[in-house]
Amino acid sequence: MGDFYELFYEDAEIAARTLGLTLTSRDKGSTNPIPMAGFPYHALDGYLQKLVRAGIRAAICEQVEDPKKAKGLVKREVTQVVTPGTLVDDALLDPRESNFLACVFPDRDRLGLAWLELSSGRFVATDVTLNELADELARLRPAECVVPEGWEGEDRGARSAERGKASTTLNSQLSTLNSLLTERPPWSFVPNECRRRLLAHFQAATLDGFDLDADSPGVTAAGALLEYVQETQKAALGHITRLEPYRRSTHLVIDETTRASLELTRTMREGRREGSLLWVMDETVTPMGARLLSDWLSNPLVDVEAIRRRLDAVEELSADAVLGRELREQLERGYDLERLTARVGTGRASPRDLGCLARTLALLPKLKAKLAGRRSELLCALEAELDLCPDVRADVEQALVDEPPLATTEGGILRPGFHAALDELRDLARGGKEWIAAYQAREVQRTGIPNLKIGFNRVFGYYLEVTAAQAAKVPADYIRKQTLKNQERYVTPELKEHEDKVLRAEESAVSLEQELFQALRERVAAHAPRLKQTASVLAQVDVLAALAVLAVKHNYCRPEIAEDPILDIRDARHPVLDRLQPSGEFVPNDVMLGVAGRESERANIEHSTSNIERRTQGPPAKDKAQSTKHAPLSTLNAQLSTLILLTGPNLAGTSTYIRQAALLTIMAQMGSFVPARAARIGIADRVFARVGASDELGKGQSTFMVEMTETARILNAATRRSLVILDEIGRGTSTYDGISLAWAVTEYLHDMVGCRTLFATHYHELTELTQTLKSAANWNVAVHEDGEQIKFLHKIVPGAADKSYGIHVARLAGVPPSVVERARVVLETLEADHLDERGRPKVPERPTRARTQRQLALFGGEHHPLLDEIRELNLEQMTPAAALQELQRLREKLER
Ligand code: ADP
Ligand code: MG
């Protein structure tokens, strides 16, 4: 509405709430005033951002004809629909995160899944099962997901149960992922129509060239998705150049739970990037690189050769620090070519965007020269693929001024000399202004009014202004237009005529400039596929160079990638904890799992001597774990196990240890070096992690049910090539139930699946299992005991733990001393099997209240200063380690 965007009725109410606008109304006097809210047009970006963040779709209506020429109401049209999944504007996107739009189409027993990143043009289709759908959505975290309207209620036949299940899963998942569900009419999903639409967009006769099965539900999903995007964008979308098939078998499959519990790209509790593996790995210098790194981490490879190619490149770059630095310097100076190209493709690139695009292209020749003549295959291939796009660059550089504006509506976009007609119009406009100045001088002379001035406003255009005192001197040919307090304003036919010329010239210059700019943008858009390829090369070079920096900075080693299912890592560190703890404090550990091939056996023996030395001189002589039942390392190497049962007290580091084995596998398969001294890593087809009891109450399932569902899934889906890490399964039920389940699960994984398995458990009973399982071993975490004082060494050593130290931890946690003492007595009795004839423990008599009084004095009677300190602890913000430290400090205070 002129200079304002306005909203009415319900929209106005929503906007007022979401954007904090004042809700007013139109037709106030009437019985039915219309609710109304609005904001000035230049504030659009900020308000759009808020709307989209709130998960709201917004249709933008613009005036599409010149209000001056319009008869009656100015014509308006929807020019763009902005939705969370279809963003391309920089202001609305996080530069380091991809923004996906997904589409799900249920078809009998399969589900079609397509996804598009409009801001890069990447468009992918696949078919999935219901379980796989959950995994893929967890991986993509789409901002928005398109589904057929009413698909859960529709056709109650044999299939409706499956569909109902699918839609329930999808709904609950989308709400956890915070993504918007968009329903589209069923006719958007008619398979033939969908195929036709895709063919028309790609101007292809068949989809064979894309290596896609045209009848698959994935293709239908892709077609429906494309329709939605065409409708919301109202642009050509030339940067969407192909539809890629996605095959799970070419990637390391990581299911939803595993992804979450390993905290690959965000943390489990807060869902933030900080604290995740991605966060510690990200050394990229461009947003394109940051997004690609996240993509690599979310989709590690399984092809040994492909992984080696990446590792070769990382190795070459880490060995040549100068090369790495120089490449990164160039990359850093460029702009986000991928998203710039997308904005060109959707017709939304500003003059400044094109300027940035040309500047980025200008950096390429240097970059290409640096990449030339490298050893590694991948760097050579990237060099060859790097299209400098000199024609595009020249076209833009010749046209645009050096500092192009953001807006296309104010002129000043194109260089003088670029277009003759434009130059002429500009001269005319400028000349017209000169004429006005001369005319003013002439009129001052003619009328003898020294302070006669020529002014301009939007309503009257140019006018002659005379002070009231001089009005008598005004000649007869002046036509009075307006009387102000102290001035009179006039026009003359001569002035009007020139005004027309000037304004027309100015207007024509601006609209010609707009046209020429649009043509330029379209010419550039025609090269979108080349620009996209170049952007992809830049992103890859950035990621490889970043991985090299990471490796050098933190002393990572190149993993040896093997086909056989082995995991042999020396001095492995947890990539995140290693960085969060003060340098040198993290205790590295070895991982040895799998069926040793001849080659790796040799490697083992070579390493083992040094390990033995380190261990024997390690902990002090009094160390109990050291002195008890450790298998000699030599026997261990002879029979490498596929399954390790890891026991250790709480807080000893068992969870950390088993997670790091999975994390390093994933890092290696994405092509990264790993935090270890040496590593030989056999390709895993899947990684499963069942870690900790996560709170799934929000999903309406009991924790134990969730745990068993996940366990079932692992047992059903794991293969001999998988890596399984289990953290305390069977804890959500009674002890005997739990132990029995854990026991049977362990046997099954060992006997039937034969996958590499790390199982951390507090059930010591399970350590007995290794006596019957051929290829299983007990390991535990070394503990240093000195009387009552216990120190966790975080060192993983062979053998079963013989104590759980739970009572010790309870004391650390501040359980009253009398309770701790009582627990110790009960434990001793239980461990000694002191049961009476009715099977009840023969526990010594309970202490009376009088006897405990003395010990409770601290927290009872008088006020103790420590109490206040404890009350003020900000427990929500503390890590377990910090909490322990704090406890330690409090205790020291108490002992002083
Ligand atoms: P568990 O699962 O055995 O109860 P965690 O693996 O959760 O123990 O580790 C508890 C804490 O111990 C971690 O938060 C970390 O601070 C510390 N920790 C674990 N492993 C190590 C290690 N290898 N080196 C140093 N500190 C460690
Ligand atoms: Mg644990």
Side-chain angles (χ1 to χ4, degrees):
M1 305 279 186
D3 288 347
F4 274 81
Y5 287 104
E6 291 182 350
L7 304 99
F8 300 97
Y9 297 105
E10 205 190 343
D11 288 352
E13 282 158 13
I14 295 173
R17 246 193 338 266
T18 319
L19 304 176
L21 301 174
T22 323
L23 189 65
T24 62
S25 55
R26 201 153 81 167
D27 304 337
K28 279 204 184 84
S30 80
T31 42
N32 274 326
I34 301 170
M36 181 179 100
F39 51 82
Y41 77 98
H42 55 77
L44 180 65
D45 268 0
Y47 283 125
L48 265 186
Q49 186 165 3
K50 278 197 193 159
L51 283 176
V52 168
R53 292 255 159 87
I56 293 172
R57 280 178 290 268
I60 303 174
C61 308
E62 302 275 6
Q63 297 174 337
V64 290
E65 61 182 348
D66 190 335
K68 276 185 237 139
K69 292 175 196 146
K71 291 186 207 76
L73 271 184
V74 180
K75 200 171 155 208
R76 298 178 175 89
E77 267 175 19
V78 175
T79 52
Q80 190 192 355
V81 179
V82 181
T83 81
T86 57
L87 301 177
V88 287
D89 297 327
D90 251 5
L92 304 177
L93 286 168
D94 180 341
R96 303 180 83 80
E97 300 259 0
S98 293
N99 191 64
F100 291 111
L101 171 69
C103 177
V104 177
F105 170 64
D107 183 32
R108 290 187 200 95
D109 50 341
R110 301 289 286 170
L111 295 150
L113 171 67
W115 63 92
L116 169 73
E117 189 185 14
L118 188 61
S119 60
S120 71
R122 179 143 189 236
F123 191 21
V124 190
T126 189
D127 294 349
V128 290
T129 63
L130 186 55
N131 271 338
E132 290 166 353
L133 176 68
D135 294 347
E136 299 309 334
L137 290 176
R139 180 174 63 84
L140 295 165
R141 306 181 59 85
E144 182 177 358
C145 185
V146 176
V147 297
E149 198 171 69
W151 63 316
E152 59 283 61
E154 191 198 17
D155 74 276
R156 333 192 144 272
R159 323 185 221 149
S160 69
E162 267 305 302
R163 284 202 176 186
K165 233 167 56 194
S167 79
T168 314
T169 310
L170 189 71
N171 278 325
S172 85
Q173 207 186 4
L174 291 178
S175 77
T176 14
L177 293 176
N178 212 353
S179 65
L180 177 71
L181 189 74
T182 298
E183 292 191 321
R184 299 282 292 164
W187 59 82
S188 279
F189 293 84
V190 174
N192 274 330
E193 274 303 298
C194 287
R195 265 196 305 277
R196 198 198 45 74
R197 197 174 301 117
L198 290 168
L199 292 176
H201 175 81
F202 294 115
Q203 299 178 354
T206 102
L207 287 172
D208 293 351
F210 297 113
D211 199 15
L212 282 162
D213 173 7
D215 296 326
S216 71
V219 167
T220 306
L225 188 153
L226 183 66
E227 189 203 27
Y228 177 62
V229 177
Q230 284 169 337
E231 196 177 300
T232 53
Q233 296 305 298
K234 308 190 179 297
L237 308 172
H239 70 297
I240 303 177
T241 49
R242 67 192 200 102
L243 179 60
E244 282 172 55
Y246 175 80
R247 302 197 203 299
R248 280 163 72 92
S249 58
T250 57
H251 297 282
L252 166 60
V253 178
I254 310 172
D255 59 78
E256 181 191 356
T257 319
T258 305
R259 198 174 288 284
S261 55
L262 291 178
E263 306 192 305
L264 294 185
T265 55
R266 50 196 74 227
T267 56
M268 193 132 147
R269 286 184 53 193
E270 291 174 324
R272 296 213 326 226
R273 187 183 169 108
E274 290 75 30
S276 68
L277 177 60
L278 177 63
W279 176 69
V280 296
M281 288 187 77
D282 191 355
E283 293 282 349
T284 57
V285 293
T286 71
M288 293 180 283
R291 296 194 299 267
L292 184 67
L293 180 73
S294 170
D295 185 59
W296 282 16
L297 179 57
S298 301
N299 300 287
L301 306 173
V302 290
D303 177 34
V304 179
E305 271 318 304
I307 298 170
R308 277 193 196 138
R309 265 198 299 278
R310 286 187 187 172
L311 288 171
D312 283 343
V314 175
E315 183 171 335
E316 182 167 1
L317 288 166
S318 59
D320 190 341
V322 179
L323 171 65
R325 199 179 53 238
E326 286 175 349
L327 286 174
R328 284 157 65 86
E329 273 166 15
Q330 292 300 312
L331 288 166
E332 210 168 10
R333 291 169 53 202
Y335 295 88
D336 193 335
L337 188 60
E338 191 176 52
R339 287 193 171 164
L340 287 172
T341 306
R343 287 206 289 281
V344 172
T346 49
R348 280 196 224 305
S350 69
R352 189 167 299 167
D353 281 339
L354 281 194
C356 292
L357 186 136
R359 275 195 212 170
T360 308
L361 294 180
L363 300 168
L364 300 183
K366 236 184 183 169
L367 200 96
K368 193 173 172 88
K370 298 233 149 58
L371 282 175
R374 295 296 145 198
R375 262 177 296 121
S376 63
E377 198 185 318
L378 184 53
L379 290 182
C380 293
L382 289 174
E383 192 269 342
E385 274 172 40
L386 184 61
D387 184 341
L388 303 179
C389 305
D391 44 339
V392 180
R393 175 183 161 198
D395 194 5
V396 176
E397 281 176 349
Q398 274 156 24
L400 288 187
V401 297
D402 289 339
E403 298 287 342
L406 266 178
T408 51
T409 46
E410 317 273 310
I413 304 169
L414 302 170
R415 258 179 219 291
F418 169 66
H419 196 268
L422 177 63
D423 288 349
E424 243 166 66
L425 284 171
R426 281 173 169 171
D427 279 349
L428 192 60
R430 209 175 309 119
K433 279 182 188 151
E434 276 159 23
W435 180 89
I436 296 254
Y439 181 65
Q440 177 175 318
R442 216 163 63 222
E443 289 299 298
V444 168
Q445 192 106 69
R446 177 163 80 99
T447 59
I449 306 173
N451 56 2
L452 179 144
K453 268 193 304 220
I454 296 185
F456 178 84
N457 76 24
R458 272 185 186 277
V459 184
F460 300 121
Y462 286 101
Y463 52 80
L464 295 144
E465 190 174 271
V466 174
T467 55
Q470 305 274 359
K473 292 194 197 163
V474 162
D477 56 337
Y478 276 28
I479 306 159
R480 197 165 70 214
K481 266 281 168 189
Q482 195 184 18
T483 305
L484 300 176
K485 202 166 158 216
N486 293 316
Q487 279 109 13
E488 296 284 341
R489 288 177 176 176
Y490 306 90
V491 294
T492 63
E494 212 181 349
L495 184 59
K496 274 290 143 201
E497 189 184 314
H498 278 274
E499 171 190 299
D500 276 359
K501 243 196 229 163
V502 172
L503 292 186
R504 243 185 292 125
E506 229 168 43
E507 254 168 42
S508 323
V510 167
S511 70
L512 177 60
E513 232 182 318
Q514 230 164 339
E515 258 168 52
L516 291 170
F517 173 73
Q518 253 161 38
L520 172 68
R521 189 163 63 189
E522 274 159 31
R523 284 200 301 282
V524 175
H527 297 286
R530 291 168 64 203
L531 292 164
K532 253 176 74 181
Q533 177 179 318
T534 294
S536 147
V537 171
L538 296 183
Q540 290 178 67
V541 172
D542 188 19
V543 170
L544 294 167
L547 289 176
V549 167
L550 178 75
V552 172
K553 239 195 199 166
H554 303 289
N555 204 12
Y556 287 8
C557 76
R558 175 180 175 145
E560 184 192 334
I561 305 293
E563 286 283 8
D564 43 336
I566 184 149
L567 200 57
D568 181 354
I569 313 176
R570 302 310 157 104
D571 285 346
R573 290 168 279 145
H574 188 291
V576 180
L577 274 183
D578 182 34
R579 292 272 287 282
L580 292 180
Q581 294 190 353
S583 150
E585 283 195 8
F586 191 84
V587 182
N589 276 300
D590 296 347
V591 184
M592 278 175 268
L593 263 187
V595 194
R598 246 171 294 135
E599 212 185 310
S600 53
E601 258 164 39
R602 232 186 305 118
N604 281 339
I605 290 158
E606 211 175 280
H607 284 301
S608 60
T609 34
S610 65
N611 277 328
I612 291 171
E613 272 161 30
R614 216 156 12 86
R615 290 225 172 94
T616 40
Q617 41 172 258
K622 263 194 178 170
D623 178 15
K624 225 177 156 202
Q626 192 64 35
S627 59
T628 47
K629 34 186 168 180
H630 287 169
L633 272 159
S634 50
T635 51
L636 194 108
N637 282 319
Q639 35 167 347
L640 211 52
S641 23
T642 54
L643 187 145
I644 287 178
L645 272 170
L646 180 61
T647 38
N650 257 307
L651 292 181
T654 53
S655 298
T656 305
Y657 175 77
I658 62 176
R659 273 161 186 252
Q660 88 195 18
L663 292 176
L664 266 59
T665 301
I666 290 170
M667 288 171 84
Q669 288 187 223
M670 74 180 269
S672 169
F673 281 26
V674 294
R677 187 164 49 80
R680 183 175 153 81
I681 294 176
I683 296 286
D685 61 348
R686 303 188 60 145
V687 170
F688 295 94
R690 163 66 229 175
V691 177
S694 44
D695 181 15
E696 303 276 349
L697 292 176
K699 285 194 184 174
Q701 292 183 352
S702 88
T703 313
F704 185 64
M705 183 63 190
V706 171
E707 185 181 321
M708 282 303 115
T709 313
E710 284 167 17
T711 307
R713 188 162 173 197
I714 297 176
L715 298 181
N716 291 326
T719 75
R720 213 178 81 86
R721 306 192 66 192
S722 306
L723 173 65
V724 175
I725 69 173
L726 299 172
D727 200 351
E728 304 188 28
I729 61 158
R731 301 259 291 177
T733 180
S734 79
T735 310
Y736 283 137
D737 261 10
I739 293 180
S740 317
L741 279 167
W743 187 287
V745 165
T746 311
E747 282 181 347
Y748 187 88
L749 286 172
H750 177 274
D751 298 342
M752 312 306 277
V753 183
C755 55
R756 287 162 286 174
T757 309
L758 288 165
F759 187 176
T761 178
H762 287 122
Y763 291 141
H764 295 175
E765 293 82 351
L766 292 180
T767 57
E768 303 288 324
L769 263 169
T770 53
Q771 292 180 7
T772 53
L773 302 183
K774 190 166 92 278
S775 182
N778 286 317
W779 288 60
N780 76 107
V781 193
V783 172
H784 172 52
E785 249 185 284
D786 184 3
E788 285 288 279
Q789 296 301 313
I790 286 163
K791 196 169 167 220
F792 298 143
L793 301 176
H794 303 307
K795 196 77 204 168
I796 311 293
V797 291
D802 53 351
K803 275 173 100 170
S804 62
Y805 301 94
I807 293 174
H808 169 70
V809 173
R811 196 183 51 198
L812 284 182
V815 172
S818 64
V819 176
V820 171
E821 180 53 24
R822 175 71 180 157
R824 206 182 50 74
V825 173
V826 174
L827 177 69
E828 271 171 16
T829 320
L830 289 176
E831 278 184 341
D833 269 347
H834 286 170
L835 301 180
D836 63 17
E837 39 313 326
R838 277 149 70 196
R840 282 186 319 212
K842 278 195 278 181
V843 181
E845 206 188 318
R846 273 197 293 285
T848 64
R849 210 179 146 74
R851 268 186 283 153
T852 48
Q853 209 67 60
R854 200 168 18 90
Q855 283 150 304
L856 290 175
L858 167 62
F859 297 99
E862 80 230 42
H863 184 80
H864 193 285
L866 275 187
L867 291 178
D868 284 331
E869 282 193 45
I870 294 172
R871 257 184 226 113
E872 273 160 33
L873 289 181
N874 189 356
L875 289 177
E876 287 79 359
Q877 303 276 318
M878 272 185 169
T879 62
L884 275 181
Q885 254 175 18
E886 184 59 26
L887 263 178
Q888 175 89 17
R889 193 184 61 78
L890 289 172
R891 192 178 61 187
E892 274 164 17
K893 232 175 164 175
L894 203 58
E895 283 167 356
R896 249 188 273 128

